[in-house]
Amino acid sequence: ASVLLPGAARAGVLVKDRLALEQMRTVDTVLFDKTGTLTRGEPAVGEIRGVGLDDGGLDAGGLDGDELLALAAAAEADSEHPLARAIVRAAQERGLDMPPASDFSASPAVGVTATVGGATVRVGGPYLLEEEDLEPLEGSDAWAQAGATVLHVVRDGALIGALSVADEVRPESRAAVDALHGLGIRVVMITGDAEPVARAVAADLGIDEVFAGVRPEHKADKVAELQERGQTVAMVGDGVN
């Protein structure tokens, strides 16, 4: 049963397990989820490039930025993920017509799949490329090194382009990490994002250790791994995985 403590109640905190609250004083490691916790969870689309387009936007037979964005937005239209909402919002802000999509499905940490214009369109990260046995878009590694999430767009098994999506770090996250360090507590971050993105955020915040590319169903395993090292762990996130 939940326990409502007067002081916590005034702060809007519901304590579901009094023992867990008492054990908080022994915590020596705090594990933060990234998206929506350390970051605002309201990412925005940055770079857009189709296969066959160079840095100057010259077309060598590929889709231009608006065409690629509209196709990706159509595939993502039924997704509630923050990255998907960013793509759809970017298409709407540009006044693009999104073609109708059907047969939508989503796979955690992989991406989405939908039928758009009679073709199978997939939008996702590194695991999607692994499933399709494809290489990243040339030059997209620079986006990741700068801290952006790179989402590739695949149509009928062929890579047709990629988009960069950046999520702003919450200013209060820096203060929280500094305060925990001041208490002698180790700070760890866990995310489904690719390693370069995770490392960029971790470096910005001074985080001690990073678990990147972790699927939601495997996050509990990482908590167990830290506990097996003898650490007492508290996890902070904006949802339940």
Side-chain angles (χ1 to χ4, degrees):
S2 299
V3 179
L4 193 59
L5 303 180
R10 284 193 293 272
V13 177
L14 174 65
V15 179
K16 300 191 70 175
D17 185 339
R18 188 188 296 271
L19 179 59
L21 183 64
E22 293 173 354
Q23 289 178 328
M24 283 295 293
R25 63 186 175 83
T26 69
V27 166
D28 56 22
T29 302
V30 175
L31 177 63
F32 283 97
D33 208 356
K34 173 184 163 287
T35 303
T37 302
L38 292 173
T39 64
R40 293 188 183 279
E42 297 178 356
V45 173
E47 303 287 342
I48 306 171
R49 189 187 307 164
V51 170
L53 298 178
D54 64 18
D55 288 330
L58 298 178
D59 192 351
L63 299 179
D64 66 25
D66 282 354
E67 291 171 326
L68 183 66
L69 178 59
L71 196 62
E76 295 274 21
D78 287 335
S79 174
E80 293 299 322
H81 193 281
L83 298 181
R85 293 199 297 268
I87 291 173
V88 173
R89 184 169 64 249
Q92 292 171 337
E93 289 172 351
R94 294 189 183 202
L96 304 180
D97 291 327
M98 291 180 286
S102 60
D103 303 321
F104 171 84
S105 63
S107 178
V110 177
V112 303
T113 302
T115 300
V116 184
T120 299
V121 176
R122 307 189 72 190
V123 184
Y127 288 124
L128 172 61
L129 294 180
E130 287 183 16
E131 286 188 3
E132 296 284 355
D133 195 23
L134 295 169
E135 293 296 321
L137 181 70
E138 185 176 356
S140 63
D141 57 334
W143 305 346
Q145 294 295 339
T149 296
V150 179
L151 297 175
H152 285 80
V153 185
V154 177
R155 181 170 60 187
D156 286 341
L159 178 65
I160 59 172
L163 311 91
S164 73
V165 186
D167 190 0
E168 184 181 1
V169 172
R170 295 178 185 271
E172 58 267 31
S173 295
R174 295 183 179 87
V177 172
D178 289 345
L180 289 168
H181 281 154
L183 295 171
I185 294 175
R186 196 159 180 272
V187 181
V188 183
M189 185 179 77
I190 192 166
T191 178
D193 288 347
E195 189 84 21
V197 178
R199 292 291 174 191
V201 173
D204 187 20
L205 294 175
I207 286 171
D208 302 300
E209 184 176 1
V210 175
F211 293 121
V214 181
R215 296 173 185 261
E217 64 269 24
H218 295 155
K219 289 184 178 180
D221 296 337
K222 295 301 181 182
V223 174
E225 181 180 323
L226 292 171
Q227 291 171 328
E228 286 168 2
R229 299 182 197 171
Q231 298 171 25
T232 303
V233 184
M235 181 163 182
V236 182
D238 66 339
V240 179
N241 293 126

PDB file of all heavy atoms in Angstrom, residues 83-120:
ATOM      1  N   LEU A  83      10.989  11.577 -30.073  1.00  0.00           N
ATOM      2  CA  LEU A  83      11.687  11.787 -31.343  1.00  0.00           C
ATOM      3  C   LEU A  83      10.696  11.795 -32.505  1.00  0.00           C
ATOM      4  O   LEU A  83      10.826  12.584 -33.447  1.00  0.00           O
ATOM      5  CB  LEU A  83      12.743  10.702 -31.554  1.00  0.00           C
ATOM      6  CG  LEU A  83      13.879  10.637 -30.527  1.00  0.00           C
ATOM      7  CD1 LEU A  83      14.858   9.536 -30.894  1.00  0.00           C
ATOM      8  CD2 LEU A  83      14.593  11.977 -30.417  1.00  0.00           C
ATOM      9  N   ALA A  84       9.707  10.925 -32.430  1.00  0.00           N
ATOM     10  CA  ALA A  84       8.682  10.877 -33.477  1.00  0.00           C
ATOM     11  C   ALA A  84       7.886  12.168 -33.501  1.00  0.00           C
ATOM     12  O   ALA A  84       7.612  12.733 -34.577  1.00  0.00           O
ATOM     13  CB  ALA A  84       7.752   9.685 -33.245  1.00  0.00           C
ATOM     14  N   ARG A  85       7.522  12.657 -32.329  1.00  0.00           N
ATOM     15  CA  ARG A  85       6.756  13.911 -32.265  1.00  0.00           C
ATOM     16  C   ARG A  85       7.562  15.073 -32.834  1.00  0.00           C
ATOM     17  O   ARG A  85       7.005  15.977 -33.467  1.00  0.00           O
ATOM     18  CB  ARG A  85       6.332  14.201 -30.821  1.00  0.00           C
ATOM     19  CG  ARG A  85       5.311  13.207 -30.278  1.00  0.00           C
ATOM     20  CD  ARG A  85       4.575  13.768 -29.075  1.00  0.00           C
ATOM     21  NE  ARG A  85       5.473  14.028 -27.980  1.00  0.00           N
ATOM     22  CZ  ARG A  85       5.756  13.157 -26.999  1.00  0.00           C
ATOM     23  NH1 ARG A  85       5.183  11.949 -27.023  1.00  0.00           N
ATOM     24  NH2 ARG A  85       6.565  13.469 -26.027  1.00  0.00           N
ATOM     25  N   ALA A  86       8.879  15.044 -32.620  1.00  0.00           N
ATOM     26  CA  ALA A  86       9.734  16.101 -33.156  1.00  0.00           C
ATOM     27  C   ALA A  86       9.728  16.086 -34.681  1.00  0.00           C
ATOM     28  O   ALA A  86       9.695  17.138 -35.333  1.00  0.00           O
ATOM     29  CB  ALA A  86      11.161  15.940 -32.637  1.00  0.00           C
ATOM     30  N   ILE A  87       9.757  14.896 -35.266  1.00  0.00           N
ATOM     31  CA  ILE A  87       9.768  14.771 -36.729  1.00  0.00           C
ATOM     32  C   ILE A  87       8.438  15.241 -37.307  1.00  0.00           C
ATOM     33  O   ILE A  87       8.402  15.998 -38.286  1.00  0.00           O
ATOM     34  CB  ILE A  87      10.063  13.306 -37.133  1.00  0.00           C
ATOM     35  CG1 ILE A  87      11.510  12.961 -36.782  1.00  0.00           C
ATOM     36  CG2 ILE A  87       9.804  13.091 -38.625  1.00  0.00           C
ATOM     37  CD1 ILE A  87      11.860  11.504 -36.968  1.00  0.00           C
ATOM     38  N   VAL A  88       7.341  14.816 -36.703  1.00  0.00           N
ATOM     39  CA  VAL A  88       6.021  15.225 -37.191  1.00  0.00           C
ATOM     40  C   VAL A  88       5.854  16.737 -37.041  1.00  0.00           C
ATOM     41  O   VAL A  88       5.348  17.415 -37.940  1.00  0.00           O
ATOM     42  CB  VAL A  88       4.911  14.471 -36.435  1.00  0.00           C
ATOM     43  CG1 VAL A  88       3.538  15.018 -36.808  1.00  0.00           C
ATOM     44  CG2 VAL A  88       4.988  12.972 -36.735  1.00  0.00           C
ATOM     45  N   ARG A  89       6.308  17.265 -35.911  1.00  0.00           N
ATOM     46  CA  ARG A  89       6.185  18.706 -35.682  1.00  0.00           C
ATOM     47  C   ARG A  89       6.993  19.496 -36.712  1.00  0.00           C
ATOM     48  O   ARG A  89       6.538  20.525 -37.225  1.00  0.00           O
ATOM     49  CB  ARG A  89       6.661  19.044 -34.270  1.00  0.00           C
ATOM     50  CG  ARG A  89       6.488  20.515 -33.890  1.00  0.00           C
ATOM     51  CD  ARG A  89       6.731  20.744 -32.414  1.00  0.00           C
ATOM     52  NE  ARG A  89       8.107  20.433 -32.032  1.00  0.00           N
ATOM     53  CZ  ARG A  89       8.458  19.396 -31.273  1.00  0.00           C
ATOM     54  NH1 ARG A  89       7.537  18.560 -30.832  1.00  0.00           N
ATOM     55  NH2 ARG A  89       9.718  19.186 -30.962  1.00  0.00           N
ATOM     56  N   ALA A  90       8.189  19.013 -37.050  1.00  0.00           N
ATOM     57  CA  ALA A  90       9.020  19.695 -38.032  1.00  0.00           C
ATOM     58  C   ALA A  90       8.343  19.715 -39.405  1.00  0.00           C
ATOM     59  O   ALA A  90       8.379  20.730 -40.119  1.00  0.00           O
ATOM     60  CB  ALA A  90      10.387  19.014 -38.128  1.00  0.00           C
ATOM     61  N   ALA A  91       7.714  18.598 -39.783  1.00  0.00           N
ATOM     62  CA  ALA A  91       7.004  18.539 -41.067  1.00  0.00           C
ATOM     63  C   ALA A  91       5.825  19.503 -41.080  1.00  0.00           C
ATOM     64  O   ALA A  91       5.571  20.192 -42.079  1.00  0.00           O
ATOM     65  CB  ALA A  91       6.548  17.111 -41.344  1.00  0.00           C
ATOM     66  N   GLN A  92       5.102  19.572 -39.962  1.00  0.00           N
ATOM     67  CA  GLN A  92       3.954  20.472 -39.873  1.00  0.00           C
ATOM     68  C   GLN A  92       4.400  21.928 -39.937  1.00  0.00           C
ATOM     69  O   GLN A  92       3.756  22.754 -40.600  1.00  0.00           O
ATOM     70  CB  GLN A  92       3.183  20.206 -38.586  1.00  0.00           C
ATOM     71  CG  GLN A  92       2.487  18.854 -38.553  1.00  0.00           C
ATOM     72  CD  GLN A  92       1.915  18.499 -37.195  1.00  0.00           C
ATOM     73  OE1 GLN A  92       2.356  19.025 -36.165  1.00  0.00           O
ATOM     74  NE2 GLN A  92       0.935  17.612 -37.175  1.00  0.00           N
ATOM     75  N   GLU A  93       5.504  22.249 -39.256  1.00  0.00           N
ATOM     76  CA  GLU A  93       6.003  23.624 -39.253  1.00  0.00           C
ATOM     77  C   GLU A  93       6.433  24.068 -40.646  1.00  0.00           C
ATOM     78  O   GLU A  93       6.370  25.260 -40.978  1.00  0.00           O
ATOM     79  CB  GLU A  93       7.163  23.763 -38.269  1.00  0.00           C
ATOM     80  CG  GLU A  93       6.722  23.676 -36.806  1.00  0.00           C
ATOM     81  CD  GLU A  93       7.890  23.612 -35.845  1.00  0.00           C
ATOM     82  OE1 GLU A  93       9.045  23.462 -36.319  1.00  0.00           O
ATOM     83  OE2 GLU A  93       7.662  23.702 -34.619  1.00  0.00           O
ATOM     84  N   ARG A  94       6.865  23.112 -41.474  1.00  0.00           N
ATOM     85  CA  ARG A  94       7.270  23.431 -42.849  1.00  0.00           C
ATOM     86  C   ARG A  94       6.087  23.404 -43.813  1.00  0.00           C
ATOM     87  O   ARG A  94       6.255  23.673 -45.003  1.00  0.00           O
ATOM     88  CB  ARG A  94       8.343  22.437 -43.330  1.00  0.00           C
ATOM     89  CG  ARG A  94       9.659  22.540 -42.590  1.00  0.00           C
ATOM     90  CD  ARG A  94      10.718  21.693 -43.265  1.00  0.00           C
ATOM     91  NE  ARG A  94      11.977  21.710 -42.529  1.00  0.00           N
ATOM     92  CZ  ARG A  94      13.158  21.430 -43.075  1.00  0.00           C
ATOM     93  NH1 ARG A  94      13.236  21.107 -44.365  1.00  0.00           N
ATOM     94  NH2 ARG A  94      14.257  21.449 -42.348  1.00  0.00           N
ATOM     95  N   GLY A  95       4.912  23.052 -43.283  1.00  0.00           N
ATOM     96  CA  GLY A  95       3.728  23.007 -44.129  1.00  0.00           C
ATOM     97  C   GLY A  95       3.757  21.873 -45.136  1.00  0.00           C
ATOM     98  O   GLY A  95       3.148  21.980 -46.215  1.00  0.00           O
ATOM     99  N   LEU A  96       4.409  20.767 -44.785  1.00  0.00           N
ATOM    100  CA  LEU A  96       4.536  19.646 -45.715  1.00  0.00           C
ATOM    101  C   LEU A  96       3.294  18.761 -45.683  1.00  0.00           C
ATOM    102  O   LEU A  96       2.675  18.580 -44.634  1.00  0.00           O
ATOM    103  CB  LEU A  96       5.770  18.806 -45.371  1.00  0.00           C
ATOM    104  CG  LEU A  96       7.114  19.542 -45.333  1.00  0.00           C
ATOM    105  CD1 LEU A  96       8.230  18.560 -44.984  1.00  0.00           C
ATOM    106  CD2 LEU A  96       7.398  20.219 -46.672  1.00  0.00           C
ATOM    107  N   ASP A  97       2.949  18.209 -46.825  1.00  0.00           N
ATOM    108  CA  ASP A  97       1.861  17.242 -46.911  1.00  0.00           C
ATOM    109  C   ASP A  97       2.422  15.852 -46.629  1.00  0.00           C
ATOM    110  O   ASP A  97       3.284  15.365 -47.373  1.00  0.00           O
ATOM    111  CB  ASP A  97       1.219  17.265 -48.302  1.00  0.00           C
ATOM    112  CG  ASP A  97       0.445  18.549 -48.553  1.00  0.00           C
ATOM    113  OD1 ASP A  97      -0.116  19.091 -47.589  1.00  0.00           O
ATOM    114  OD2 ASP A  97       0.428  19.014 -49.713  1.00  0.00           O
ATOM    115  N   MET A  98       1.948  15.238 -45.556  1.00  0.00           N
ATOM    116  CA  MET A  98       2.415  13.898 -45.211  1.00  0.00           C
ATOM    117  C   MET A  98       1.530  12.867 -45.891  1.00  0.00           C
ATOM    118  O   MET A  98       0.307  12.886 -45.713  1.00  0.00           O
ATOM    119  CB  MET A  98       2.388  13.703 -43.697  1.00  0.00           C
ATOM    120  CG  MET A  98       3.413  14.525 -42.939  1.00  0.00           C
ATOM    121  SD  MET A  98       3.335  14.252 -41.143  1.00  0.00           S
ATOM    122  CE  MET A  98       1.833  15.146 -40.742  1.00  0.00           C
ATOM    123  N   PRO A  99       2.110  11.970 -46.677  1.00  0.00           N
ATOM    124  CA  PRO A  99       1.292  10.949 -47.331  1.00  0.00           C
ATOM    125  C   PRO A  99       0.655  10.032 -46.302  1.00  0.00           C
ATOM    126  O   PRO A  99       1.192   9.855 -45.201  1.00  0.00           O
ATOM    127  CB  PRO A  99       2.306  10.192 -48.210  1.00  0.00           C
ATOM    128  CG  PRO A  99       3.631  10.464 -47.585  1.00  0.00           C
ATOM    129  CD  PRO A  99       3.542  11.833 -46.996  1.00  0.00           C
ATOM    130  N   PRO A 100      -0.501   9.449 -46.613  1.00  0.00           N
ATOM    131  CA  PRO A 100      -1.154   8.543 -45.661  1.00  0.00           C
ATOM    132  C   PRO A 100      -0.308   7.304 -45.402  1.00  0.00           C
ATOM    133  O   PRO A 100       0.388   6.803 -46.295  1.00  0.00           O
ATOM    134  CB  PRO A 100      -2.472   8.188 -46.351  1.00  0.00           C
ATOM    135  CG  PRO A 100      -2.231   8.452 -47.799  1.00  0.00           C
ATOM    136  CD  PRO A 100      -1.267   9.584 -47.874  1.00  0.00           C
ATOM    137  N   ALA A 101      -0.371   6.814 -44.172  1.00  0.00           N
ATOM    138  CA  ALA A 101       0.396   5.629 -43.783  1.00  0.00           C
ATOM    139  C   ALA A 101      -0.540   4.613 -43.130  1.00  0.00           C
ATOM    140  O   ALA A 101      -1.585   4.960 -42.587  1.00  0.00           O
ATOM    141  CB  ALA A 101       1.512   6.015 -42.818  1.00  0.00           C
ATOM    142  N   SER A 102      -0.155   3.366 -43.188  1.00  0.00           N
ATOM    143  CA  SER A 102      -0.935   2.291 -42.569  1.00  0.00           C
ATOM    144  C   SER A 102       0.024   1.244 -42.023  1.00  0.00           C
ATOM    145  O   SER A 102       1.238   1.323 -42.206  1.00  0.00           O
ATOM    146  CB  SER A 102      -1.881   1.662 -43.602  1.00  0.00           C
ATOM    147  OG  SER A 102      -1.146   1.111 -44.680  1.00  0.00           O
ATOM    148  N   ASP A 103      -0.549   0.250 -41.354  1.00  0.00           N
ATOM    149  CA  ASP A 103       0.227  -0.883 -40.823  1.00  0.00           C
ATOM    150  C   ASP A 103       1.366  -0.425 -39.922  1.00  0.00           C
ATOM    151  O   ASP A 103       2.479  -0.963 -39.981  1.00  0.00           O
ATOM    152  CB  ASP A 103       0.787  -1.743 -41.969  1.00  0.00           C
ATOM    153  CG  ASP A 103      -0.293  -2.259 -42.890  1.00  0.00           C
ATOM    154  OD1 ASP A 103      -1.367  -2.631 -42.387  1.00  0.00           O
ATOM    155  OD2 ASP A 103      -0.073  -2.275 -44.114  1.00  0.00           O
ATOM    156  N   PHE A 104       1.102   0.570 -39.082  1.00  0.00           N
ATOM    157  CA  PHE A 104       2.142   1.091 -38.193  1.00  0.00           C
ATOM    158  C   PHE A 104       2.505   0.074 -37.112  1.00  0.00           C
ATOM    159  O   PHE A 104       1.653  -0.594 -36.546  1.00  0.00           O
ATOM    160  CB  PHE A 104       1.650   2.378 -37.523  1.00  0.00           C
ATOM    161  CG  PHE A 104       2.564   2.873 -36.426  1.00  0.00           C
ATOM    162  CD1 PHE A 104       3.670   3.650 -36.725  1.00  0.00           C
ATOM    163  CD2 PHE A 104       2.313   2.548 -35.101  1.00  0.00           C
ATOM    164  CE1 PHE A 104       4.513   4.094 -35.723  1.00  0.00           C
ATOM    165  CE2 PHE A 104       3.143   3.000 -34.088  1.00  0.00           C
ATOM    166  CZ  PHE A 104       4.250   3.778 -34.402  1.00  0.00           C
ATOM    167  N   SER A 105       3.808  -0.017 -36.823  1.00  0.00           N
ATOM    168  CA  SER A 105       4.277  -0.809 -35.688  1.00  0.00           C
ATOM    169  C   SER A 105       5.545  -0.153 -35.156  1.00  0.00           C
ATOM    170  O   SER A 105       6.263   0.534 -35.879  1.00  0.00           O
ATOM    171  CB  SER A 105       4.565  -2.264 -36.085  1.00  0.00           C
ATOM    172  OG  SER A 105       5.618  -2.329 -37.030  1.00  0.00           O
ATOM    173  N   ALA A 106       5.795  -0.356 -33.873  1.00  0.00           N
ATOM    174  CA  ALA A 106       6.975   0.227 -33.239  1.00  0.00           C
ATOM    175  C   ALA A 106       7.715  -0.845 -32.459  1.00  0.00           C
ATOM    176  O   ALA A 106       7.096  -1.718 -31.842  1.00  0.00           O
ATOM    177  CB  ALA A 106       6.576   1.367 -32.314  1.00  0.00           C
ATOM    178  N   SER A 107       9.032  -0.766 -32.501  1.00  0.00           N
ATOM    179  CA  SER A 107       9.869  -1.695 -31.752  1.00  0.00           C
ATOM    180  C   SER A 107      10.792  -0.875 -30.855  1.00  0.00           C
ATOM    181  O   SER A 107      11.573  -0.066 -31.348  1.00  0.00           O
ATOM    182  CB  SER A 107      10.705  -2.557 -32.713  1.00  0.00           C
ATOM    183  OG  SER A 107      11.557  -3.422 -32.007  1.00  0.00           O
ATOM    184  N   PRO A 108      10.709  -1.043 -29.527  1.00  0.00           N
ATOM    185  CA  PRO A 108      11.519  -0.246 -28.619  1.00  0.00           C
ATOM    186  C   PRO A 108      13.009  -0.310 -28.942  1.00  0.00           C
ATOM    187  O   PRO A 108      13.552  -1.385 -29.196  1.00  0.00           O
ATOM    188  CB  PRO A 108      11.227  -0.873 -27.239  1.00  0.00           C
ATOM    189  CG  PRO A 108       9.878  -1.481 -27.390  1.00  0.00           C
ATOM    190  CD  PRO A 108       9.821  -1.980 -28.809  1.00  0.00           C
ATOM    191  N   ALA A 109      13.650   0.867 -28.953  1.00  0.00           N
ATOM    192  CA  ALA A 109      15.088   1.021 -29.210  1.00  0.00           C
ATOM    193  C   ALA A 109      15.478   0.694 -30.649  1.00  0.00           C
ATOM    194  O   ALA A 109      16.649   0.780 -31.010  1.00  0.00           O
ATOM    195  CB  ALA A 109      15.922   0.181 -28.248  1.00  0.00           C
ATOM    196  N   VAL A 110      14.511   0.307 -31.488  1.00  0.00           N
ATOM    197  CA  VAL A 110      14.808   0.016 -32.891  1.00  0.00           C
ATOM    198  C   VAL A 110      14.225   1.111 -33.776  1.00  0.00           C
ATOM    199  O   VAL A 110      14.949   1.804 -34.498  1.00  0.00           O
ATOM    200  CB  VAL A 110      14.253  -1.360 -33.323  1.00  0.00           C
ATOM    201  CG1 VAL A 110      14.515  -1.596 -34.815  1.00  0.00           C
ATOM    202  CG2 VAL A 110      14.890  -2.459 -32.497  1.00  0.00           C
ATOM    203  N   GLY A 111      12.907   1.302 -33.726  1.00  0.00           N
ATOM    204  CA  GLY A 111      12.275   2.330 -34.540  1.00  0.00           C
ATOM    205  C   GLY A 111      10.861   1.962 -34.905  1.00  0.00           C
ATOM    206  O   GLY A 111      10.247   1.102 -34.273  1.00  0.00           O
ATOM    207  N   VAL A 112      10.355   2.612 -35.941  1.00  0.00           N
ATOM    208  CA  VAL A 112       8.982   2.372 -36.380  1.00  0.00           C
ATOM    209  C   VAL A 112       8.977   1.853 -37.805  1.00  0.00           C
ATOM    210  O   VAL A 112       9.914   2.069 -38.576  1.00  0.00           O
ATOM    211  CB  VAL A 112       8.124   3.661 -36.290  1.00  0.00           C
ATOM    212  CG1 VAL A 112       8.131   4.218 -34.881  1.00  0.00           C
ATOM    213  CG2 VAL A 112       8.599   4.705 -37.292  1.00  0.00           C
ATOM    214  N   THR A 113       7.877   1.189 -38.143  1.00  0.00           N
ATOM    215  CA  THR A 113       7.669   0.675 -39.488  1.00  0.00           C
ATOM    216  C   THR A 113       6.241   0.989 -39.904  1.00  0.00           C
ATOM    217  O   THR A 113       5.315   0.839 -39.101  1.00  0.00           O
ATOM    218  CB  THR A 113       7.897  -0.852 -39.546  1.00  0.00           C
ATOM    219  OG1 THR A 113       9.222  -1.151 -39.094  1.00  0.00           O
ATOM    220  CG2 THR A 113       7.712  -1.383 -40.967  1.00  0.00           C
ATOM    221  N   ALA A 114       6.062   1.440 -41.153  1.00  0.00           N
ATOM    222  CA  ALA A 114       4.720   1.719 -41.666  1.00  0.00           C
ATOM    223  C   ALA A 114       4.731   1.549 -43.175  1.00  0.00           C
ATOM    224  O   ALA A 114       5.788   1.571 -43.816  1.00  0.00           O
ATOM    225  CB  ALA A 114       4.268   3.131 -41.287  1.00  0.00           C
ATOM    226  N   THR A 115       3.549   1.385 -43.716  1.00  0.00           N
ATOM    227  CA  THR A 115       3.402   1.338 -45.172  1.00  0.00           C
ATOM    228  C   THR A 115       3.009   2.731 -45.657  1.00  0.00           C
ATOM    229  O   THR A 115       1.995   3.273 -45.225  1.00  0.00           O
ATOM    230  CB  THR A 115       2.331   0.315 -45.586  1.00  0.00           C
ATOM    231  OG1 THR A 115       2.719  -0.981 -45.115  1.00  0.00           O
ATOM    232  CG2 THR A 115       2.176   0.277 -47.109  1.00  0.00           C
ATOM    233  N   VAL A 116       3.842   3.307 -46.502  1.00  0.00           N
ATOM    234  CA  VAL A 116       3.613   4.651 -47.017  1.00  0.00           C
ATOM    235  C   VAL A 116       3.738   4.618 -48.544  1.00  0.00           C
ATOM    236  O   VAL A 116       4.779   4.233 -49.074  1.00  0.00           O
ATOM    237  CB  VAL A 116       4.624   5.664 -46.447  1.00  0.00           C
ATOM    238  CG1 VAL A 116       4.289   7.072 -46.926  1.00  0.00           C
ATOM    239  CG2 VAL A 116       4.659   5.600 -44.931  1.00  0.00           C
ATOM    240  N   GLY A 117       2.670   4.973 -49.226  1.00  0.00           N
ATOM    241  CA  GLY A 117       2.714   4.968 -50.678  1.00  0.00           C
ATOM    242  C   GLY A 117       3.023   3.613 -51.272  1.00  0.00           C
ATOM    243  O   GLY A 117       3.699   3.513 -52.301  1.00  0.00           O
ATOM    244  N   GLY A 118       2.554   2.567 -50.615  1.00  0.00           N
ATOM    245  CA  GLY A 118       2.782   1.209 -51.117  1.00  0.00           C
ATOM    246  C   GLY A 118       4.144   0.647 -50.775  1.00  0.00           C
ATOM    247  O   GLY A 118       4.443  -0.502 -51.124  1.00  0.00           O
ATOM    248  N   ALA A 119       4.990   1.419 -50.097  1.00  0.00           N
ATOM    249  CA  ALA A 119       6.332   0.962 -49.734  1.00  0.00           C
ATOM    250  C   ALA A 119       6.438   0.805 -48.216  1.00  0.00           C
ATOM    251  O   ALA A 119       5.728   1.463 -47.459  1.00  0.00           O
ATOM    252  CB  ALA A 119       7.384   1.945 -50.229  1.00  0.00           C
ATOM    253  N   THR A 120       7.325  -0.078 -47.778  1.00  0.00           N
ATOM    254  CA  THR A 120       7.601  -0.246 -46.362  1.00  0.00           C
ATOM    255  C   THR A 120       8.659   0.762 -45.944  1.00  0.00           C
ATOM    256  O   THR A 120       9.794   0.712 -46.434  1.00  0.00           O
ATOM    257  CB  THR A 120       8.086  -1.673 -46.055  1.00  0.00           C
ATOM    258  OG1 THR A 120       7.073  -2.612 -46.427  1.00  0.00           O
ATOM    259  CG2 THR A 120       8.392  -1.828 -44.575  1.00  0.00           C
TER     260      THR A 120
END
